[in-house]
């Protein structure tokens, strides 16, 4: 990954020759101490902050389309006119500057005032919205509802004991000890009261009565709703093994889980990670960063082969081996005791800490008991509404009609969950927005980020462009000659362009 934008390049207040910027070009410059991006779309010019409000990605290294600029790191989209963070994972807007064209030059003028809150036509908006879930989808929905000017009652119920956090960080920098805990909250605690969001933590929803439109908590209290968003996410699969209940055996989903792993790691010498999934391998890397000896046990022939294919699977394995991780592949654990993990092969591995990252199961019990239509997840329509009118679902539980693949799919990706929360928010306000974002995820292994756009459950051709070993490649997963997904290393513009092409192809299909 490249470095965040810093103020460099020409002083944009002094004017840039219009013809010095191609009709679809971008230029990084400065206004005072601020890095500012000048974007040209044919005859129109826009000036925006050059630093992504998610993790500080350099927007000048991304791409612009007719309406947005897209971040190279995790594909956030910002409106060119207003700087609004229209698509997650960024949630805060970019500053914008006025632009003037004169005498064949374009000048960046004063910074524009921040856009005020939008207003909703009072007659169409519901008065009571309840969100079950304080994760990616639930938070993004609540934030978007207020951003859109929703002024009614907004209750967010979460059985987590912490406010919404940046969950991907729990297996990466925070677990590795490279990020302080105050990086994790998606917003400071004061945000919820300031925005009239009644966030109730440790609140377990036991039942939904869709006839009376009420949510029932396990303490017996009831919360009425006019629109309901179910965003209950997924829970880690727990293997049915002797020893899984021992105190040094962990799964990782919440901040509490992560703190417990960190505490145990502090007194451990050897860790065994069960599963060579994204989360499992990110945990392995983070525990190596903490100086533990790490063994990974998984039934697969190669890590992540089912999703990334054999070549990238071998690369990921080699990368972890270079960092000292020991793999025990085509093998499974049969039991765990206080000191060891016994494997099916007969081998035993010493372990002071065991982390199981063997996949997740969507939390659909509430939806099921409420009578919502299910199919390995909660079935939603293109606007993310479930089979019960007024009840929406988003994130890891939702199976939606994906426009790109033409199939109903369910994925477990942070950006998808947030974007679905945002679309569900608009639709709970009475809009009929189709969820048309192309799935995107990223995964970080040491200093190598892997980006993936699209969805390829199976493919009949895998085309590699570039050199995987040199960490400069694009891998295309195709079926019947059509590109279903693209995985890239260090080709951020190619990944963004592939996403845009898939969006356009799906829109015109
Ligand atoms: C460690 C880790 C690292 C990850 N890294 C990445 C990554 O790098 N890239 C990526 O794309 N994805 C990543 N993911 C996946 C990503 O975090 C999920 O896809 C995303 O969080 C799903 O969002 P969600 O809102 O559907 O569910 P969640 O974020 O899990 O939120 C679900 C919420 O529902 C609440 N809840 C559930 N049941 C109830 C109930 N009955 N009553 C009240 N509240 C309830 C939970 O407490 C929680 O607050 C990672 C996941 C983990 C665990
Ligand atoms: S840094 Fe821009 S999307 Fe993450």
């Amino acid at each position: 990954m490249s470095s965040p934008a810093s103020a460099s390049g020409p002083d944009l207040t002094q004017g840039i020759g219009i013809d010095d910027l191609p009709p679809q070009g971008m230029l990084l410059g400065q206004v005072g101490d601020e890095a500012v991006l000048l974007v040209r779309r044919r005859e129109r010019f826009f000036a925006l902050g050059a630093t992504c409000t998610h993790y500080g990605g350099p927007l000048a290294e991304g791409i612009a389309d007719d309406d947005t600029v897209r971040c190279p790191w995790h594909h956030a989209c910002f409106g060119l006119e207003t700087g609004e963070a229209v698509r997650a994972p960024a949630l805060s807007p970019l500053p914008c500057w006025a632009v003037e064209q004169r005498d064949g030059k374009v000048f960046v003028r004063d910074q524009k005032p921040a856009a005020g809150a939008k207003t909703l036509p009072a007659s169409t908006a519901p008065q009571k919205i309840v969100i079950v879930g304080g994760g990616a989808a639930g938070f993004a929905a609540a934030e978007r509802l207020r951003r859109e000017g929703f002024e009614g009652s907004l209750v967010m119920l979460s059985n987590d004991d912490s406010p919404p956090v940046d969950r991907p960080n729990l297996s990466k920098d925070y677990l590795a000890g490279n990020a302080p805990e105050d990086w994790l909250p998606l917003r400071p605690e004061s945000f919820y009261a300031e925005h009239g969001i009644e966030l109730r933590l440790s609140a377990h929803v036991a039942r939904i009565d869709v006839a009376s439109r009420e949510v029932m908590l396990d303490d017996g209290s009831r919360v009425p709703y006019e629109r309901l968003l179910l965003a209950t996410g997924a829970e880690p699969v727990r293997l049915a093994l002797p020893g899984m209940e021992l105190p040094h055996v962990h799964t990782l989903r919440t901040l509490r889980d992560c703190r417990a792993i960190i505490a145990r790691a502090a007194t451990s010498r050897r860790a065994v990670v069960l599963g060579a999934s994204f989360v499992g391998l990110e945990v392995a890397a983070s525990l190596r960063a903490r100086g533990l000896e790490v063994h990974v046990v998984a039934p697969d022939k190669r890590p992540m082969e089912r999703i990334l294919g054999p070549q990238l699977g071998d690369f990921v394995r080699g990368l972890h081996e270079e960092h000292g991780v020991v793999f025990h592949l085509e093998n499974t654990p049969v039991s765990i005791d206080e000191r060891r993990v016994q494997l099916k092969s007969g081998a035993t591995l010493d372990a002071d800490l065991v982390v199981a990252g063997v996949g997740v199961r969507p939390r659909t019990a509430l939806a099921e008991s409420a009578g919502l239509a299910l199919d390995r997840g909660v079935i939603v329509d293109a606007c993310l509404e479930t089979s019960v009118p007024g009840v929406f679902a988003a994130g890891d539980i939702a199976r939606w009609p994906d426009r790109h693949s033409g199939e109903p799919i369910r994925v477990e990706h942070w950006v998808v969950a947030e974007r679905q929360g945002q679309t569900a928010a608009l639709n709970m306000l009475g809009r009929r927005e189709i969820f048309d974002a192309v799935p995107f995820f990223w995964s970080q292994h040491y200093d190598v980020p892997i980006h993936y756009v699209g969805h390829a459950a199976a493919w009949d051709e895998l085309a590699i462009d570039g050199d995987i070993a040199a960490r400069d490649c694009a891998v295309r997963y195709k079926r019947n000659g059509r590109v279903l997904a693209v995985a890239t290393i260090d080709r951020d513009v190619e990944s963004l362009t592939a996403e845009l092409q898939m969006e356009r192809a799906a829109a015109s299909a």
Side-chain angles (χ1 to χ4, degrees):
M1 248 189 265
S2 42
S3 323
S6 55
S8 61
D11 179 349
L12 298 175
T13 63
Q14 298 301 309
I16 300 294
I18 287 178
D19 295 331
D20 293 342
L21 202 55
Q24 307 291 350
M26 299 202 289
L27 176 72
L28 177 63
Q30 49 182 310
V31 173
D33 292 338
E34 298 219 43
V36 172
L37 186 65
L38 185 63
V39 181
R40 179 173 181 186
R41 308 307 293 167
R42 297 176 202 88
E43 302 315 315
R44 300 188 307 154
F45 288 83
F46 306 91
L48 309 104
T51 307
C52 178
T53 58
H54 179 226
Y55 286 176
L59 295 174
E61 294 172 26
I63 63 170
D65 61 45
D66 285 345
D67 308 310
T68 62
V69 59
R70 299 177 181 224
C71 178
W73 284 3
H74 314 109
H75 294 201
C77 299
F78 297 91
L80 289 175
E81 291 276 4
T82 61
E84 182 181 0
V86 287
R87 276 191 175 170
L91 298 165
S92 301
L94 296 171
C96 292
W97 282 260
V99 173
E100 184 190 0
Q101 290 186 49
R102 189 162 43 87
D103 304 332
K105 284 190 163 185
V106 54
F107 297 85
V108 174
R109 299 302 192 197
D110 293 340
Q111 188 170 336
K112 295 184 195 169
K118 299 177 192 172
T119 43
L120 275 180
S123 54
T124 56
Q127 285 310 304
K128 290 189 185 107
I129 295 183
V130 173
I131 296 172
V132 183
F139 176 81
E143 193 273 342
R144 194 60 177 256
L145 283 166
R146 288 303 187 218
R147 214 199 291 177
E148 292 296 317
F150 173 63
E151 290 181 341
S153 140
L154 180 51
V155 179
M156 194 169 167
L157 303 164
S158 168
N159 62 9
D160 270 351
D161 52 12
S162 51
V165 293
D166 184 6
R167 210 176 290 291
N169 220 320
L170 298 181
S171 51
K172 304 180 183 68
D173 285 340
Y174 178 62
L175 182 60
N178 299 329
E181 193 164 305
D182 59 12
W183 282 19
L184 292 177
L186 291 178
R187 284 288 187 269
E189 278 187 38
S190 57
F191 170 86
Y192 301 93
E194 282 164 15
H195 290 79
I197 300 170
E198 189 182 333
L199 171 63
R200 295 201 210 159
L201 297 175
S202 304
H204 183 75
V205 175
R207 211 163 70 77
I208 298 160
D209 186 334
V210 294
S212 66
R213 294 201 162 196
E214 284 178 311
V215 163
M216 270 85 105
L217 277 74
D218 63 357
D219 63 5
S221 59
R222 293 165 174 255
V223 187
Y225 66 83
E226 287 171 55
R227 301 281 184 281
L228 175 68
L229 175 64
L230 280 181
T232 47
E235 63 201 347
V237 170
R238 291 191 71 83
L239 294 169
L241 286 184
M244 273 302 285
E245 70 297 342
L246 289 167
H248 69 301
V249 182
H250 297 261
T251 54
L252 176 55
R253 185 79 190 179
T254 63
L255 177 56
R256 175 188 283 264
D257 297 335
C258 193
R259 287 183 183 137
I261 294 171
I262 291 169
R264 182 76 193 189
T267 56
S268 298
R269 206 176 55 80
R270 277 178 72 134
V272 170
V273 175
L274 306 179
S277 63
F278 289 100
V279 170
L281 289 185
E282 287 180 354
V283 167
S286 294
L287 293 178
R288 286 295 301 137
R290 285 184 180 269
L292 274 74
E293 194 180 307
V294 179
H295 293 250
V296 173
V297 179
D300 323 67
K301 197 167 171 195
R302 300 180 173 89
M304 299 194 264
E305 181 173 8
R306 190 178 56 78
I307 296 165
L308 296 179
Q311 296 86 345
L312 274 176
D314 282 339
F315 166 75
V316 168
R317 176 183 179 160
L319 188 59
H320 283 270
E321 284 174 341
E322 272 172 35
H323 287 82
V325 172
V326 182
F327 284 90
H328 305 266
L329 297 172
E330 299 182 86
N331 213 336
T332 49
V334 289
S335 67
I336 304 170
D337 68 22
E338 282 78 3
R339 305 267 312 277
R340 280 172 295 270
V341 178
Q342 173 81 47
L343 304 188
K344 192 173 172 198
S345 63
T348 54
L349 302 175
D350 289 345
D352 312 306
L353 165 64
V354 179
V355 183
V358 293
V360 295
R361 196 174 286 124
R363 278 192 273 222
T364 54
L366 275 181
E368 188 172 2
S369 65
L372 273 51
L374 300 183
D375 172 18
R376 294 158 295 148
V378 180
I379 297 178
V380 292
D381 66 14
C383 297
L384 306 179
E385 196 162 15
T386 69
S387 57
V388 173
V391 179
F392 292 76
D396 284 4
I397 58 167
R399 183 172 293 278
W400 84 98
D402 172 44
R403 294 222 295 182
H404 175 64
S405 63
E407 290 164 10
I409 64 170
R410 188 184 71 74
V411 300
E412 292 147 7
H413 306 340
W414 179 256
V415 172
V416 172
E418 286 190 317
R419 290 179 175 181
Q420 288 190 343
Q422 294 179 321
T423 300
L426 300 178
N427 292 333
M428 286 193 288
L429 295 177
R431 306 249 285 264
R432 294 298 293 165
E433 298 267 337
I434 288 180
F435 179 72
D436 58 2
V438 170
F440 164 78
F441 74 81
W442 81 98
S443 183
Q444 182 82 28
H445 302 264
Y446 310 96
D447 58 344
V448 181
I450 299 175
H451 287 178
Y452 182 101
V453 288
H455 180 76
W459 58 86
D460 55 28
E461 185 188 342
L462 188 152
I464 299 171
D465 180 31
D467 185 347
I468 294 178
R471 302 166 188 197
D472 170 20
C473 65
V475 179
R476 289 184 167 71
Y477 306 84
K478 303 183 188 179
R479 196 161 60 214
N480 301 325
R482 182 164 171 261
V483 177
L484 300 179
V486 182
T488 54
I489 300 175
D490 205 19
R491 293 204 180 182
D492 294 345
V493 167
E494 208 167 329
S495 177
L496 282 168
T497 307
E499 181 183 55
L500 190 57
Q501 283 168 351
M502 288 181 200
E503 277 171 22
R504 288 180 173 159
S508 63

